[in-house]
Amino acid sequence: MPTRASRHIVQNEPLLFEVSAPGKQGCQLPPLDVPPVELAGARPEITDFPEVSELEVIRHFTRLSTWNYGVDTGIYPLGSCTMKYNPRINELVTRLDGLGDGHPLQPEALSRGALRIMDLLSRYLLEITGMDAITLQPAAGAQGELTGILLVRAALAARGDARRKVLIPDSAHGTNPATAAIAGYQVENLKSNPAGTVDMASLERQMTADVAALMLTNPNTLGIFEADIHRIADLVHERGGMLYMDGANMNALVGRSRPGDFGVDVMHLNLHKTFSTPHGGGGPGAGPVAVKRELEPFLPIPVLTRRNGEPALDYDRPRSIGRVRAFYGNFGMFTRALAYIMANGCDGLKQTTEDAVLNANYVRKKLEGAYALPYATPSMHEVVFSDANQTAQGVRTGDVAKRLIDYGFHPYTVSFPLVVRGAMMIEPTESASQAELDEFVAAMLAIAEEAKTQPELVTGAPHTTKIGRLDEVAAARQPHLRWQPKR
Ligand SMILES: *Cc1c(COP(=O)(O)O)cnc(C)c1O
């Protein structure tokens, strides 16, 4: 048995209702010396409020906080999500006076610093992507996609060549077809070749005069670089379409390769993946959209320009697609991303990219054999295995993921991308040290062994958590979220 990296503490923590005892108080108030009044808004139907001491409350919430597995707890190898460390310098910068308490309704004359920050971040992102113009407004990757595809639609309409379809490879993120459909396009599936990349013959056939854009993730969701990207871009352009790049995987390219140089017309970035701003739990993100010149007139208002040499906001953009979000975007993400870029510098960013790719390939080499590798093409920043070696024992990708929890790790991404049956998608990011990768690998290898010798140990996992295996369908469709007192 390998040593277990059981870092998360699983306490048997009761509800405050359950530790309540009549008469216990969290604070002591002086005797009442004014007439009592009815509390406005009180809900008399809620009875049995817990009566607990201050220390019980503190311990309760402190213990609960330790149940939360996060990037600050241990490796978080959720593929496609890029759960890298959020450096504390980002937080420090974001809380500086004047930034942390800036208000979006502040007049422009009092927001010079904020505008300079947006301007500097924009320039860095343009240098990193090799594109011509950018909007920071979209609040997430998916919203960036929608913004980008609306820009394509506006630009093609301006050419007098509105088109109906968007081509999307079968390895795409689910948000891509959703985006194209919401923007009013028909989605056409483009199949991958045995190498896991765009099948050029299919593209040749399907890239017709009706196709507005090809939406491509590069590296794609298999973690594979589209090596034919120049031919792909040329073909799409020859046939009058545009190339949209889903840039969520830019952490594999920053400092090494620029989408603007390999023919991309429009792309989004996920600051909350590539540039280390925190994400998860539906918190604020940022999905800037960078474009080539032709698309610039259509960018959402306000557009950041220069007036008398100073960054300023331009609302007078008659061809703009309009606003996609209130105000200017999630400003707190801009300061964090800019801090990350500046703290790393050119060489640091490049090294980050190389380390992310190195870590993924380290895991790949160590797990090859124990787990099936559906595509032999070299991996970039993430590696996709499948459960094909385990299915004969009745062990599936979801079981291995749940068993990882017993070993103290956050699971990898389960059953995505859809092109791989039983996918196990692992993205360690550059944040993991070699020692941590070794622990993760040891756990994965131990589970592969368990799957052979005692598969029920894996299919019944997790065993160490407060709540074991849920019926996933019932948990999603008929959740019981309310605690009822025992009467
Ligand atoms: C994460 C991701 C998205 C969506 O980004 P959100 O910020 O979650 O909306 C789109 N495409 C790919 C490839 C992604 O990994």
Side-chain angles (χ1 to χ4, degrees), residues 79-82 139-145 172-176 217 219-221 246-249 268-270 272-273 279 285-287 382 416:
S80 197
C81 297
T82 313
Q143 204 194 8
E145 289 174 32
H173 197 264
T175 48
N176 293 187
T217 306
N220 66 27
T221 55
D246 178 331
N249 292 341
H268 78 264
L269 293 160
N270 294 53
H272 47 288
K273 290 179 181 168
H279 63 133
E382 60 197 355
F416 179 79

Side-chain angles (χ1 to χ4, degrees), residues 72-121:
D72 294 342
T73 325
I75 186 174
Y76 205 131
L78 206 54
S80 197
C81 297
T82 313
M83 305 304 287
K84 63 167 75 176
Y85 173 59
N86 317 125
R88 289 303 180 271
I89 183 80
N90 300 358
E91 301 302 316
L92 187 84
V93 168
T94 300
R95 282 165 177 71
L96 289 179
D97 287 351
L99 294 181
D101 52 13
H103 193 282
L105 288 175
Q106 242 166 248
E108 240 179 271
L110 296 179
S111 310
R112 291 284 167 227
L115 292 176
R116 275 185 211 163
I117 283 172
M118 289 168 66
D119 180 61
L120 187 58
L121 176 63

Side-chain angles (χ1 to χ4, degrees), residues 118-141:
M118 289 168 66
D119 180 61
L120 187 58
L121 176 63
S122 299
R123 283 189 284 132
Y124 283 152
L125 295 178
L126 289 175
E127 189 180 332
I128 287 168
T129 55
M131 305 295 281
D132 298 327
I134 193 165
T135 173
L136 301 177
Q137 214 176 97

Side-chain angles (χ1 to χ4, degrees), residues 291-364:
V291 297
K292 291 283 175 63
R293 278 285 165 243
E294 184 184 354
L295 292 132
E296 187 180 10
F298 310 101
L299 287 177
I301 48 165
V303 171
L304 198 61
T305 53
R306 282 176 173 267
R307 215 172 285 130
N308 308 324
E310 274 291 313
L313 296 169
D314 183 6
Y315 290 83
D316 184 20
R317 310 273 298 190
R319 301 168 78 192
S320 166
I321 59 166
R323 273 189 178 282
V324 297
R325 193 183 180 281
F327 301 116
Y328 322 101
N330 282 325
F331 185 76
M333 298 302 116
F334 305 161
T335 46
R336 286 176 174 88
L338 183 59
Y340 176 80
I341 290 170
M342 294 180 80
N344 278 292
C346 262
D347 293 343
L349 288 176
K350 193 168 156 200
Q351 167 117 37
T352 298
T353 301
E354 289 169 1
D355 288 350
V357 172
L358 179 65
N359 279 359
N361 282 283
Y362 184 79
V363 170
R364 172 175 163 152

